[in-house]
Amino acid sequence: MNRDPQICTRCIMDRTVPGIRFDSEGVCSYCTEYLELCKHVLDVSAEQKEAKLREFIDKVKRAGRGKTYDCVVGVSGGVDSSWVLVRAVELGLRPLAVHMDNGWNSELAQHNIAALVQSLGVDLFTHVIDWEEYRNLMQAFFDADVIDVELLYDNAALAVNYAQAAKYGVKYILAGNNSATEGMRMPEGWNWLKFDKKNIKAIAKRFTRTRIRTFPAIGTFDFFRFRFVNGIRWTPVLDLMPYNKEHVLGELQRRFGYKPYPYKHYESIFTRFYQGYILPTKFNVDKRKLHLGTLVASGQMTRALALADLARLPYSSEMQLQEDRQYFLKKMGWSEAALENYLARKEVPHDAYPTERPLWLRCERTYKAIRASAGGR
Ligand SMILES: [Zn+2]
């Protein structure tokens, strides 16, 4: 086995990433595609961005006239979504902050969210998920040996954000996803369609004896209903403004007493155990390659620094890893042997179980064709 896989000469993606190709200069297809697709965000002048942002803010304000809120901002406690909330308020919007608590929040995340909404004077809606039911669903995903255990959180969070927007007649959900820090395409097989309600239900049915009672799932048809009947748009608003993570983190710390996490998405204890331990150990996937690679390709981090970072343990310390491991075992009610057994088992693809991915892809194709024939982009 090649223990030193070829690494892209521009970013840090390597030969182990599914579907990667290298050109004659040793530059990979991931960063090349990213820089091409995100041109409209990365190569736009500050003035052009400012104009686009103004236009967008006016639209949100107009659509929200006479309503309690004019937008929903989903907050996780992470830097990206926290910054969206700050900017929304500064730009004169009236956001409702929405958070989904799945029982795995780190204390840091709780602290960050509370400090932020308090000093901004923003209403916060927190959906606290039924823990017993959620644990059963997680257990089912582990028993199913599928890779995207976070599909559960992401799907429920999407559902809760859309439901709150619909409840208040809000047309805009402002999201923290952005091209500058996470624009590089997720490699096929590293995650799964986040709107796959059918997959969640099928795996739950197969591996648990309990039915889904309160889990706020969202599927393809729900999404299209929210989008076209309720007219709700999901906008990656950070793409409309200059966005430098280092700078923003400093601002959040200075102005809101924000406490940083060592890596992206580490605001949840499960997420950091999943990304920092389960994914690399069981699935041979290190998502830091994607996150750090995007920062390098977009010029926010040097390649040398990213490679040095990548060489370290995907945890702030070995002690933290052991702490999280114990926390995970206790919270899931697992023994060490159960974890070892799970880690040793082979991965099963999501589509080995019933899935609505083909339906989603068909709907997406149809939607794109309609937009194209209507002269849209
Ligand atoms: Zn590359």
Side-chain angles (χ1 to χ4, degrees), residues 8 11 28 31:
C8 170
C11 73
C28 85
C31 59

